Each structure stands twice: as structure tokens, then as C-alpha cells.
């Protein structure tokens, strides 16, 4: 699985944290969630933590879902 990249965050004076991905806002955290995020990002892989908190990471099941018989993908119908 490829490592996530392109994430950054900014902490504002009111205690909120804005997470961006490639320059676009991906999430805003406030209060206790912002504090928990900041503690986690300082203690681990920052890119992975931000990807996890925003939900922008791969689960590994994309290929399985694409090949599922109920998928309306043209590739699936050609079989």
C-alpha cells in the first residue's frame, strides 16, 4: 500500500485545527478532538495520522469491490 502524502494542518488561535490535502480543506477539528489529533500527530507518522483522521486512505478492498457482481462497472459486465 502506498504511503499517504500531501497532507498538512494548521492550528488556529481558537484551538481549532484545519487539515488540508493538496491545498484543499479535508477536515476541521475543534475542542477535545483537535487536542487528541495534535497529540497523535506529534507522536506518530503525521501523514498517516492525517489520512486516517480525514478518512482519505485506502482500505485495501477497492479491487474486490470493483470486481463484485453487483457493480455497474463496464469491465464487470464484459465478462
Amino acid at each position: 500500500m502506498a504511503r499517504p502524502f500531501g497532507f498538512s494542518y494548521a492550528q488556529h488561535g481558537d484551538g481549532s485545527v484545519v487539515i488540508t490535502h493538496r491545498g484543499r480543506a479535508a477536515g476541521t477539528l475543534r475542542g477535545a478532538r483537535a487536542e487528541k489529533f495534535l497529540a497523535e500527530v506529534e507522536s506518530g507518522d503525521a501523514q498517516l495520522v492525517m489520512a486516517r483522521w480525514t478518512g482519505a486512505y485506502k482500505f485495501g478492498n477497492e479491487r474486490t469491490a470493483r470486481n463484485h457482481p453487483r457493480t455497474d462497472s463496464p469491465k464487470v459486465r464484459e465478462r
Side-chain angles (χ1 to χ4, degrees):
M1 182 166 92
R3 290 177 40 87
F5 64 93
F7 288 95
S8 61
Y9 70 95
Q11 186 176 7
H12 296 279
D14 63 355
S16 65
V17 176
V18 176
I19 303 171
T20 58
H21 184 247
R22 297 184 181 175
R24 293 181 167 206
T28 303
L29 306 171
R30 294 179 180 87
R33 293 190 73 213
E35 292 173 15
K36 185 176 178 183
F37 167 78
L38 290 170
E40 194 172 327
V41 82
E42 290 173 7
S43 66
D45 178 10
Q47 292 293 305
L48 184 60
V49 170
M50 288 184 272
R52 209 166 28 83
W53 275 77
T54 60
Y57 63 99
K58 302 289 184 185
F59 295 97
N61 64 351
E62 289 81 10
R63 181 174 295 142
T64 304
R66 185 182 67 218
N67 295 332
H68 194 276
R70 288 184 296 203
T71 306
D72 288 330
S73 170
K75 289 183 179 179
V76 174
R77 281 189 250 140
E78 290 177 44
R79 292 185 191 181

